[in-house]
Amino acid sequence: GQQLNQSPQSMFIQEGEDVSMNCTSSSIFNTWLWYKQDPGEGPVLLIALYKAGELTSNGRLTAQFGITRKDSFLNISASIPSDVGIYFCAGQLRGSQGNLIFGKGTKLSVKP
Amino acid sequence: DTAVSQTPKYLVTQMGNDKSIKCEQNLGHDTMYWYKQDSKKFLKIMFSYNNKELIINETVPNRFSPKSPDKAHLNLHINSLELGDSAVYFCASSQVGDTQYFGPGTRLTVL
């Protein structure tokens, strides 16, 4: 089946540092989404990207939809302790009816 | 006024039992989904329903059956539970092809 390669698998950083994570695939996606999951909760949408090359910000978060439509990255600037959680990329294939394929997640730990 | 809600939050049961998980959304979305998250946190879609019609079924055992009494509800019924069914199950909803919003999850433990 289709796969998204998300990296890194985990990150341990100091409060205040910037963070970068990315997802790549061999398939072309119509939409890229970034979700965050806190322990015991469902994934919460952070940023949605709909056009190749699109760069979108949400506060300290910035994400880009790759020009080739096969990749996306998420940056978090000036990390804070509440940024801790698992970040998932998700892609919607061209022609699919809403079917999302998820990356395996990046577990972020922030040391105060 | 939770957008996507699931019950129960936790479900502990014996192998071989039949159980149901309920999902409701008040967003007016026309498509609802069920996902399974395994112990390694990998999220995989199981089903989706659009206007009471199943449109995705990703090689899920037929012991799992989604039931949608109306557009706002998509329940998941599981027969003859097995140890490997232990996981967190998430419901989600969206307009067709649009962003999906997730419920809080149901942690199923099969003993």
Side-chain angles (χ1 to χ4, degrees):
Chain A
Q2 304 290 345
Q3 283 191 338
L4 287 182
N5 301 308
Q6 184 171 351
S7 64
Q9 189 174 352
S10 61
M11 302 182 75
F12 297 86
I13 62 169
Q14 198 77 29
E15 182 177 359
E17 289 182 359
D18 297 343
V19 171
S20 185
M21 57 192 79
N22 69 83
C23 276
T24 61
S25 174
S26 57
S27 301
I28 292 175
F29 288 90
N30 261 2
T31 303
W32 281 95
L33 305 169
W34 285 92
Y35 287 87
K36 182 192 178 195
Q37 186 177 19
D38 291 327
E41 302 292 332
V44 174
L45 182 68
L46 298 174
I47 293 179
L49 302 160
Y50 300 104
K51 294 182 185 178
E54 179 181 354
L55 182 71
T56 297
S57 293
N58 179 6
R60 293 178 297 105
L61 277 59
T62 302
Q64 185 160 30
F65 192 147
I67 289 289
T68 64
R69 292 184 167 270
K70 295 181 179 181
D71 63 311
S72 177
F73 72 74
L74 174 71
N75 287 341
I76 305 173
S77 62
S79 58
I80 58 178
S82 62
D83 289 336
V84 164
I86 302 177
Y87 292 79
F88 291 97
C89 64
Q92 183 178 327
L93 287 168
R94 179 182 291 174
S96 71
Q97 292 181 325
N99 188 10
L100 282 183
I101 299 168
F102 278 82
K104 294 191 175 182
T106 295
K107 186 175 181 180
L108 179 64
S109 301
V110 180
K111 186 177 179 182
Chain B
D1 57 347
T2 306
V4 182
S5 59
Q6 296 178 227
T7 54
K9 176 83 171 172
Y10 301 95
L11 183 54
V12 181
T13 188
Q14 299 284 337
M15 261 174 43
N17 283 351
D18 302 339
K19 290 293 178 185
S20 291
I21 308 172
K22 295 185 177 181
C23 178
E24 176 181 1
Q25 55 95 5
N26 62 6
L27 297 167
H29 289 160
D30 52 23
T31 306
M32 296 182 71
Y33 311 82
W34 277 105
Y35 287 82
K36 180 180 180 180
Q37 187 173 45
D38 61 23
S39 58
K40 295 184 180 179
K41 304 299 183 184
F42 184 52
L43 271 163
K44 188 170 182 182
I45 191 163
M46 300 175 71
F47 301 104
S48 71
Y49 257 77
N50 182 356
N51 292 328
K52 297 191 178 183
E53 185 178 354
L54 178 68
I55 58 174
I56 299 175
N57 184 338
E58 293 285 326
T59 62
V60 173
N62 58 14
R63 296 181 295 104
F64 291 78
S65 55
K67 297 188 192 304
S68 181
D70 56 58
K71 202 171 89 163
H73 297 83
L74 183 64
N75 303 326
L76 183 64
H77 190 74
I78 315 169
N79 290 327
S80 304
L81 279 156
E82 299 177 359
L83 293 176
D85 297 333
S86 295
V88 181
Y89 292 84
F90 287 101
C91 176
S93 74
S94 75
Q95 293 293 89
V96 171
D98 206 347
T99 305
Q100 293 180 26
Y101 294 86
F102 285 77
T106 295
R107 181 175 291 278
L108 172 64
T109 303
V110 182
L111 304 175

